[in-house]
Amino acid sequence: MKISFTRSLVAAALGCVFAFATTLAHAADALPSWNDIKAKQLIMAFVQRVTTKGGKDFVPPAERIAVFDNDGTLWAEQPMYFQLAFALDRVKALAPQHPEWKDKEPFASLLKGDLKAALAGGERALLEIVMATHAGMTTEEFEKIVRDWLATAKHPKMGRAYNEMIYQPMVELLRYLRANGFKTYIVSGGGVEFMRPWVEKAYGILPEQVVGSTIKTKFEMRGGKPVIVRLPEVDFISDKEGKPVAINKFIGRRPILAFGNSDGDLQMLQWTAAGSGARFMGIVHHTDAEREWAYDRNSSVGRLDKALDEAQAKGWTVVDMKNDWKIIFPSKSK
Amino acid sequence: MKISFTRSLVAAALGCVFAFATTLAHAADALPSWNDIKAKQLIMAFVQRVTTKGGKDFVPPAERIAVFDNDGTLWAEQPMYFQLAFALDRVKALAPQHPEWKDKEPFASLLKGDLKAALAGGERALLEIVMATHAGMTTEEFEKIVRDWLATAKHPKMGRAYNEMIYQPMVELLRYLRANGFKTYIVSGGGVEFMRPWVEKAYGILPEQVVGSTIKTKFEMRGGKPVIVRLPEVDFISDKEGKPVAINKFIGRRPILAFGNSDGDLQMLQWTAAGSGARFMGIVHHTDAEREWAYDRNSSVGRLDKALDEAQAKGWTVVDMKNDWKIIFPSKSK
């Protein structure tokens, strides 16, 4: 007993030294991929304010809720939302089982490689594509489909796996916030079950901290074994006004920090801003045509127009990817 | 630097001694309100198995998800669900603003004190009562209404505040599980926003770990200030087949421990049981007519029939309130 107790003390002491060294390293360079200019300084000053015990802006850890949009905020979204790329690949993979698609829009155009014609049907066409590819299987089967796709599909421009097209500076920001007692949530227009299989490894975000759009599901017994089946019906779209609604439903606390990149994030940013006490509202502005893409007010994907005006009017932090970020994507993988 | 470092070591060592002593104390009497018979022993053996590093049943902390029904499992539910008592009190409070209720069922009967006649309209009548009392205000206004009600309303039989009608042995179980790295969730048929204002203080369960039934809500701007408004429309009923569906949607991991008390919890228990690895399924059986209530197969509130059969067939743990619990409710409050 005595020896093991002494050992515990030594272990604790060593643990402390290690923790201390790690803390120092963190403090010195918690956001190494960010240039040390305005956005980084504002982020770090905010975290300092809300975590300083006894300070007037101190926020208890349980209330340090940080929410992040995903498409265009944590990973790329060009030339099309990656979940749409997934859906199109699934249409091709499933076509042999659906001979009727040859004569049925939007599938017929898609299978001929004419995306524009396929999407000419607007929201209805998109919905048909999503339902045909995201429903009809159990949740476990869908998870495997997503994992298999990520393991094989490559981004058309970058040639990398989609789950490597994440923004290294944002990964560091998420880690830095968690190291400071924040809970980090995704609040995305994308599908919850499309994100859960890979976001823990990519961002360190837990499955229960993924908020997003959902389709209806149904519990049933199959051969004595319970399964949850994905139904071809929209349950909830977590976009625009839907984002604060989803935050209220899933989290039940108002965030103190929110990051988005498009008009779809405006209401989430407004909802965050309207709370009392210190707040941080950030926007990732795609300004780097060379290393990534440059787009904002006139883009059909990730349009940033009203939210950019409001950010400027209200003094929210606009991150200029070209100037604020030393690198965009993680270095080529291990 | 050197001195402060030595100080840190001493502090760390003392911290360890303290943590060690606390752990010992916990282990000795983590569930003091439980008699040391079968149910308590099974619970503690399970926690031991899944937390023993290197053991074959070890579960990493991130996967230690525990789900609990609320009504009849964590707090009482007789003579009627407490949320229904809340709704009835609200009808009385709102009646002056609704002169038309004098001639409109189910309100007319309710206001005459005839609950039976009011509920004769079945689910539709109930829904009308719920919508009239739970919708039409902002989420912040509703939270205040719930808090005010809890501060003044008394249980008709026990004369205590409703949020004191919680089961002390279950409060200890929740605390014990969290001390062992579990995340504790409520998965209730009750309303999420009816529970969030008080469950953190009562059970130590965080707002973001409350899963339940919801009504639709809407984000809107009121005088430049964003609010979320509660609409008179059901969004989701988290009961029976709805419970595993809600678990999948909100948590995204299969629980390894589930506790319920009625047939409404059967599918949640089945879903938990069907995972691989060590599992714990528990049922609170209301067997104590003297200290609480005794009811099961023939009760209209919290009917326990099919789930009791399945518990017996599958060897789930049935907690006998009369024999397993030394006390039911916390001692009269501070």
Side-chain angles (χ1 to χ4, degrees):
Chain A
M1 182 64 186
K2 198 152 191 198
I3 290 174
S4 79
F5 182 68
T6 310
R7 258 192 209 150
S8 300
L9 275 189
V10 172
L14 286 175
C16 276
V17 172
F18 183 70
F20 185 66
T22 311
T23 306
L24 272 186
H26 257 282
D29 205 7
L31 302 173
S33 302
W34 293 68
N35 284 313
D36 196 14
I37 53 176
K38 197 175 162 200
K40 175 172 176 173
Q41 289 163 1
L42 288 169
I43 290 168
M44 298 192 84
F46 171 78
V47 171
Q48 180 81 29
R49 279 167 66 200
V50 297
T51 57
T52 300
K53 272 193 183 163
K56 78 171 180 46
D57 290 324
F58 179 75
V59 176
E63 295 167 26
R64 292 180 202 157
I65 304 290
V67 292
F68 290 81
D69 169 58
N70 187 40
D71 298 309
T73 301
L74 298 180
W75 75 347
E77 59 182 354
Q78 297 283 4
M80 68 175 86
Y81 294 121
F82 294 176
Q83 192 169 357
L84 179 57
F86 164 77
L88 301 185
D89 282 353
R90 289 302 299 159
V91 167
K92 285 177 212 151
L94 291 169
Q97 298 160 46
H98 292 274
E100 77 280 10
W101 284 355
K102 265 185 298 195
D103 307 306
K104 195 184 163 195
E105 290 299 346
F107 305 100
S109 296
L110 263 190
L111 293 171
K112 281 181 219 137
D114 190 346
L115 180 61
K116 209 175 154 187
L119 295 183
E123 214 165 278
R124 198 191 142 80
L126 191 61
L127 201 65
E128 277 199 57
I129 294 168
V130 170
M131 290 311 166
T133 54
H134 286 66
M137 68 294 281
T138 69
T139 49
E140 284 174 347
E141 287 161 356
F142 185 71
E143 181 179 335
K144 186 176 179 314
I145 291 167
V146 174
R147 285 188 193 282
D148 289 349
W149 180 75
L150 286 171
T152 53
K154 298 281 178 234
H155 187 277
K157 179 176 166 191
M158 306 289 193
R160 299 183 71 162
Y162 285 96
N163 52 343
E164 290 179 1
M165 302 269 303
I166 59 179
Y167 301 138
Q168 178 62 21
M170 297 304 281
V171 172
E172 292 167 8
L173 174 55
L174 290 165
R175 196 185 299 139
Y176 170 63
L177 291 172
R178 288 191 298 267
N180 281 283
F182 282 75
K183 285 181 195 159
T184 54
Y185 282 83
I186 289 175
V187 178
S188 169
V192 170
E193 300 201 78
F194 177 72
M195 293 183 278
R196 278 189 181 142
W198 58 272
V199 295
E200 186 166 2
K201 188 163 171 243
Y203 309 135
I205 291 180
L206 305 174
E208 63 267 31
Q209 289 170 352
V210 177
V211 178
S213 298
T214 44
I215 61 175
K216 296 209 170 169
T217 62
K218 183 171 161 260
F219 173 91
E220 63 179 51
M221 283 287 179
R222 287 191 178 171
K225 194 180 171 301
V227 293
I228 294 177
V229 181
R230 294 171 58 82
L231 305 176
E233 195 182 338
V234 171
D235 175 46
F236 185 77
I237 301 293
S238 168
D239 194 31
K240 299 191 174 73
E241 287 83 1
K243 288 202 175 193
V245 164
I247 288 170
N248 181 63
K249 183 156 79 171
F250 282 76
I251 310 177
R253 299 190 201 258
R254 197 189 295 252
I256 63 167
L257 179 150
F259 244 104
N261 77 299
S262 79
D263 285 357
D265 304 311
L266 177 58
Q267 290 80 1
M268 171 171 91
L269 292 160
Q270 289 170 331
W271 179 244
T272 302
S276 58
R279 304 276 138 179
F280 188 95
M281 281 64 62
I283 286 182
V284 173
H285 192 190
H286 293 264
T287 52
D288 195 327
E290 202 169 311
R291 295 184 301 171
E292 207 237 7
W293 288 270
Y295 58 96
D296 48 32
R297 296 187 192 274
N298 299 311
S299 178
S300 60
V301 172
R303 180 192 307 256
L304 174 65
D305 183 32
K306 286 182 197 162
L308 190 56
D309 290 341
E310 190 144 340
Q312 284 159 354
K314 302 271 174 72
W316 298 345
T317 300
V318 178
V319 173
D320 175 342
M321 285 175 78
K322 186 169 176 174
N323 292 309
D324 276 307
W325 289 359
K326 290 182 191 165
I327 58 168
I328 308 281
F329 302 114
S331 51
K332 281 265 179 181
S333 64
K334 326 88 211 182
Chain B
M1 182 64 186
K2 199 152 190 199
I3 291 174
S4 79
F5 182 69
T6 311
R7 260 191 208 149
S8 300
L9 275 189
V10 172
L14 286 175
C16 276
V17 172
F18 182 70
F20 185 65
T22 311
T23 307
L24 273 185
H26 257 285
D29 204 7
L31 301 174
S33 302
W34 292 68
N35 284 312
D36 195 14
I37 53 176
K38 199 175 161 200
K40 174 172 177 174
Q41 290 162 2
L42 288 170
I43 290 168
M44 298 191 85
F46 172 78
V47 171
Q48 181 80 31
R49 279 166 67 199
V50 298
T51 57
T52 301
K53 271 194 182 162
K56 79 171 179 47
D57 291 324
F58 178 75
V59 176
E63 294 167 26
R64 292 180 202 157
I65 304 290
V67 292
F68 290 81
D69 169 58
N70 186 40
D71 300 308
T73 300
L74 297 180
W75 74 348
E77 60 182 353
Q78 296 284 3
M80 68 175 88
Y81 294 121
F82 294 177
Q83 192 169 358
L84 180 57
F86 164 76
L88 301 186
D89 283 351
R90 288 302 298 158
V91 168
K92 284 176 212 152
L94 292 169
Q97 297 161 47
H98 292 275
E100 77 281 11
W101 283 356
K102 264 185 296 196
D103 307 306
K104 195 185 163 196
E105 290 298 348
F107 305 100
S109 296
L110 262 190
L111 293 171
K112 282 182 217 135
D114 190 346
L115 180 60
K116 209 175 154 187
L119 296 183
E123 215 165 277
R124 200 191 141 80
L126 192 61
L127 201 65
E128 278 199 55
I129 294 168
V130 170
M131 290 312 167
T133 53
H134 286 66
M137 68 293 280
T138 70
T139 49
E140 284 175 348
E141 287 161 356
F142 185 70
E143 182 180 332
K144 185 177 180 313
I145 291 167
V146 174
R147 284 188 193 281
D148 290 348
W149 179 75
L150 287 171
T152 53
K154 297 282 178 235
H155 186 277
K157 179 177 166 192
M158 306 290 193
R160 299 182 70 162
Y162 285 96
N163 52 343
E164 291 179 1
M165 303 269 303
I166 58 179
Y167 301 138
Q168 178 62 21
M170 297 304 281
V171 172
E172 292 167 7
L173 173 56
L174 290 165
R175 197 184 299 139
Y176 170 62
L177 291 171
R178 288 192 298 266
N180 281 284
F182 281 75
K183 284 180 195 160
T184 54
Y185 282 83
I186 289 175
V187 178
S188 169
V192 170
E193 300 202 77
F194 177 71
M195 294 183 278
R196 279 188 180 142
W198 57 272
V199 296
E200 186 165 1
K201 186 163 172 243
Y203 309 135
I205 291 180
L206 306 174
E208 63 268 32
Q209 289 169 354
V210 177
V211 178
S213 297
T214 45
I215 62 176
K216 296 208 169 171
T217 62
K218 182 172 161 261
F219 174 92
E220 64 180 51
M221 283 288 179
R222 286 191 178 172
K225 192 180 172 300
V227 292
I228 295 177
V229 181
R230 295 170 58 81
L231 305 175
E233 195 183 338
V234 170
D235 174 46
F236 185 77
I237 301 292
S238 167
D239 195 31
K240 299 192 174 73
E241 287 83 2
K243 288 203 175 191
V245 164
I247 289 170
N248 181 63
K249 183 155 78 172
F250 282 77
I251 312 177
R253 299 191 201 258
R254 197 189 295 252
I256 65 168
L257 179 150
F259 244 104
N261 78 300
S262 79
D263 285 357
D265 304 311
L266 177 57
Q267 289 81 0
M268 171 171 91
L269 292 159
Q270 289 171 331
W271 179 244
T272 302
S276 59
R279 304 276 139 180
F280 188 95
M281 281 64 63
I283 285 181
V284 173
H285 191 189
H286 294 264
T287 51
D288 195 328
E290 202 168 310
R291 296 185 300 172
E292 207 236 6
W293 287 271
Y295 58 97
D296 48 32
R297 295 187 192 274
N298 299 312
S299 178
S300 60
V301 172
R303 180 191 306 256
L304 174 64
D305 183 32
K306 285 182 197 161
L308 190 56
D309 290 342
E310 189 143 337
Q312 284 159 355
K314 302 271 173 73
W316 299 346
T317 299
V318 178
V319 173
D320 175 343
M321 284 175 78
K322 186 169 176 174
N323 292 309
D324 276 307
W325 290 359
K326 291 182 191 166
I327 58 169
I328 308 282
F329 302 114
S331 51
K332 281 264 181 183
S333 65
K334 326 87 212 183

